[in-house]
Amino acid sequence: MANWTLTNKDLYLLVKMLGGKVLIGISNPFPDYRDDELEEEWEMMFKKLHKFELVDHIEGELKFENQFIEAMWVIARSNLVAEIVTDQLEQSIFYFSDDQVIECMKENETSYKIYTHPAPEWTLNEVIFPRMLIGVENRSIRLNDLLYILPSDYLLYCKEQAIFNLDELSLNNGIDQDSLIIKQFNRSLQRKIHTTRLMIFFKDELDWNIEGVHVLSSPSYNWTLRMVSKDGMEWLSTRQATGESLVKEIAGVFERVKLKKEVN
């Protein structure tokens, strides 16, 4: 498994060089650059890649190391990208092709470790599922009820490890503030072990679309929070989950994406 360390600037420039129109998961590091400043960035990048023996200038042409440029092609042209964020801190972005998956693991705000993985099926089973299920133990469920939570609220719940807007949450769900499901979800937040997020970005002929699921693990209960559309708004459909249903929910995100891509 080859690996390299690149900056967000390197990745953005390489994707543009290969004709990619957008770099999913990594924002444009050059929003206000002048042409001369951008030229300097190109020059610095090629000097660095030459030093690492990833590119050479032969007979007037750039010659890239084969495995490296193949990985960059996948990143530039992938129409299926998965992002995993653990505890709102650790981030990895996976770019899929038919025969390999390229992972960009964030080291800091500007640096990414690049890994090549085998075919998508292997990467799902050996990398993505274990990453999503970190710290999860099989827990029984007590309730099958659903909670609908705003995604922005959930991020704050995880940060503060408590529900801060009981009145709004109960109103949105038509239940009492002291209902059992709210109490159990709040208890799980207070005892949170990990929260992981899986976002899938997939492209049809014209547009990028999104599917996603969160997993919240605690000593009390485990929960899945699936992205859904309800009343014209984006919500997280939240329910308690056993270990088996966690795996099914994560796999279900990829299955739904596959079906939507086939329909389109």
Side-chain angles (χ1 to χ4, degrees):
M1 181 175 67
N3 68 82
W4 310 275
T5 299
L6 297 176
T7 68
N8 56 338
K9 291 181 178 180
D10 298 331
L11 287 165
Y12 188 86
L13 291 172
L14 286 163
V15 165
K16 288 299 180 184
M17 183 190 74
L18 295 171
K21 298 187 182 302
V22 63
L23 180 55
I24 294 293
I26 301 175
S27 58
N28 179 3
F30 309 113
D32 302 312
Y33 271 54
R34 302 189 310 269
D35 288 346
D36 59 328
E37 292 175 316
L38 208 51
E39 284 294 328
E40 290 179 9
E41 294 290 346
W42 280 103
E43 186 176 347
M44 286 190 293
M45 180 194 71
F46 284 124
K47 284 181 178 178
K48 180 172 70 174
L49 296 182
H50 179 70
K51 180 181 178 182
F52 294 156
E53 298 183 349
L54 295 174
V55 67
D56 205 350
H57 196 261
I58 301 174
E59 296 180 354
E61 293 186 7
L62 292 172
K63 300 291 185 180
F64 287 89
E65 193 272 334
N66 286 338
Q67 196 169 11
F68 174 76
I69 200 62
E70 286 176 5
M72 295 304 105
W73 269 107
V74 172
I75 294 174
R77 298 303 177 91
S78 177
N79 62 7
L80 177 62
V81 179
E83 178 192 56
I84 293 178
V85 178
T86 305
D87 298 326
Q88 302 181 53
L89 295 172
E90 298 177 3
Q91 177 195 38
S92 274
I93 310 162
F94 299 83
Y95 300 86
F96 286 73
S97 70
D98 291 339
D99 55 3
Q100 64 177 321
V101 179
I102 308 303
E103 176 184 1
C104 295
M105 179 181 289
K106 189 174 184 179
E107 293 188 315
N108 54 52
E109 289 306 312
T110 60
S111 178
Y112 290 83
K113 200 78 170 179
I114 316 300
Y115 299 96
T116 61
H117 296 298
E121 190 71 23
W122 184 96
T123 304
L124 285 173
N125 292 324
E126 302 298 327
V127 181
I128 290 178
F129 283 134
R131 200 82 58 85
M132 282 295 297
L133 296 172
I134 181 172
V136 172
E137 295 184 12
N138 192 24
R139 311 278 183 206
S140 60
I141 64 173
R142 184 173 177 184
L143 297 173
N144 284 311
D145 302 26
L146 281 175
L147 273 179
Y148 287 96
I149 298 172
L150 292 170
S152 57
D153 285 349
Y154 179 64
L155 293 178
L156 289 174
Y157 294 163
C158 291
K159 182 178 180 180
E160 299 182 10
Q161 292 192 226
I163 296 172
F164 61 85
N165 58 346
L166 280 171
D167 54 345
E168 186 178 342
L169 180 62
S170 64
L171 181 63
N172 287 339
N173 286 275
I175 56 179
D176 294 335
Q177 294 184 26
D178 61 353
S179 65
L180 187 57
I181 188 169
I182 288 182
K183 286 182 176 179
Q184 291 182 349
F185 184 65
N186 199 32
R187 180 62 170 159
S188 295
L189 286 166
Q190 292 167 353
R191 306 181 71 198
K192 174 175 69 73
I193 299 173
H194 289 294
T195 179
T196 54
R197 180 185 75 201
L198 172 66
M199 301 292 285
I200 306 293
F201 304 87
F202 60 101
K203 190 178 183 183
D204 55 26
E205 292 184 1
L206 297 174
D207 301 313
W208 284 93
N209 306 278
I210 303 175
E211 279 271 353
V213 65
H214 298 252
V215 172
L216 171 68
S217 61
S218 81
S220 304
Y221 302 98
N222 296 318
W223 302 75
T224 59
L225 302 94
R226 183 200 299 186
M227 287 178 56
V228 297
S229 181
K230 179 175 177 283
D231 301 327
M233 294 178 60
E234 293 297 326
W235 297 86
L236 295 174
S237 173
T238 305
R239 68 166 71 241
Q240 292 176 11
T242 63
E244 181 181 0
S245 58
L246 286 172
V247 173
K248 287 182 178 178
E249 190 66 57
I250 296 165
V253 179
F254 286 94
E255 288 300 319
R256 291 193 298 275
V257 167
K258 181 180 178 181
L259 288 173
K260 288 180 179 180
K261 285 174 68 66
E262 288 175 351
V263 169
N264 291 329

